[in-house]
Amino acid sequence: MIEIREASIHDCQLIRELASQAFSHTYRHILSPEQLDYMFEWMYSEKSLLEQMTEQHHHFFIASYDQQACGYISVEREEKRLFHIQKIYVLPQMQGKKIGKHLIEKAFSYIRGLVAPDESVTVELNVNRQNKATGFYKRMGFSIARSGDFPIGNGFFMNDYIMAVQI
């Protein structure tokens, strides 16, 4: 059974542990080991996660399957009618169990709770152009809105599609 709960600052270590498996598995064939290490610390150090939750107002949710934590998603409100899914990852051995679908649906539900019932909003996410998850996002209603190469420091870039959906 899939359960999703809101994360708190006390979950930073758990999110980091989940990311240590899911993030590297996702990008090990796409990014260099140096870029993987840099990005992991940039996004998943406990300090960075705490800043994301408290200063940048990223809202995290953690998924569990049969009471075992197995994935997470974070959402940031960028503008009144624009939200960004900053992260969504499911442990490799748990993929294919509809956990990602439930995480996206939880994010949509959370976002809808922040706006008027008749208000339409845009939800965006970045996905590496070589990431096979692009197909999953399309099945969830997203389409490619644009692409870009975004500098992230240390001479590294994120080569992403920005995918969007109206909800």
Side-chain angles (χ1 to χ4, degrees):
M1 175 195 237
I2 299 168
E3 296 177 354
I4 299 176
R5 68 171 175 85
E6 189 173 345
S8 76
I9 59 172
H10 303 290
D11 290 306
C12 289
Q13 182 58 37
L14 173 59
I15 294 167
R16 182 175 165 84
E17 289 169 12
L18 292 169
S20 72
Q21 297 174 59
F23 185 79
S24 62
H25 176 81
T26 300
Y27 294 108
R28 66 181 182 214
H29 299 299
I30 298 172
L31 304 175
S32 70
E34 296 80 17
Q35 184 167 351
L36 261 175
D37 290 344
Y38 175 81
M39 289 179 69
F40 184 81
E41 286 307 311
W42 173 54
M43 294 190 293
Y44 292 107
S45 70
E46 287 199 47
K47 179 183 178 207
S48 176
L49 286 168
L50 187 60
E51 286 175 3
Q52 290 168 50
M53 290 181 177
T54 61
E55 296 173 25
Q56 299 170 19
H57 306 290
H58 295 197
H59 203 89
F60 281 78
F61 296 91
I62 297 174
S64 294
Y65 188 88
D66 290 338
Q67 301 181 348
Q68 180 180 341
C70 62
Y72 56 93
I73 192 168
S74 73
V75 178
E76 177 188 18
R77 186 176 206 160
E78 293 187 335
E79 297 174 12
K80 183 180 180 196
R81 296 180 59 199
L82 176 64
F83 292 81
H84 202 95
I85 294 175
Q86 292 291 347
K87 297 172 180 54
I88 177 172
Y89 291 94
V90 174
L91 294 177
Q93 67 272 23
M94 302 302 281
Q95 292 176 4
K97 298 181 184 293
K98 303 203 182 293
I99 297 161
K101 177 180 185 282
H102 284 273
L103 284 167
I104 293 276
E105 289 170 350
K106 181 65 173 183
F108 288 174
S109 174
Y110 166 73
I111 291 165
R112 284 191 190 104
L114 297 176
V115 298
D118 60 341
E119 191 173 9
S120 170
V121 297
T122 301
V123 180
E124 293 183 335
L125 59 81
N126 287 43
V127 59
N128 183 285
R129 292 191 296 261
Q130 296 179 48
N131 189 336
K132 65 182 181 177
T134 304
F136 164 73
Y137 298 126
K138 286 181 180 178
R139 289 190 301 280
M140 294 301 299
F142 287 84
S143 60
I144 296 171
R146 59 195 181 281
S147 66
D149 298 316
F150 306 99
I152 58 171
N154 237 29
F156 297 120
F157 289 82
M158 292 193 323
N159 310 108
D160 291 349
Y161 291 126
I162 293 86
M163 300 185 77
V165 64
Q166 298 288 316
I167 63 167

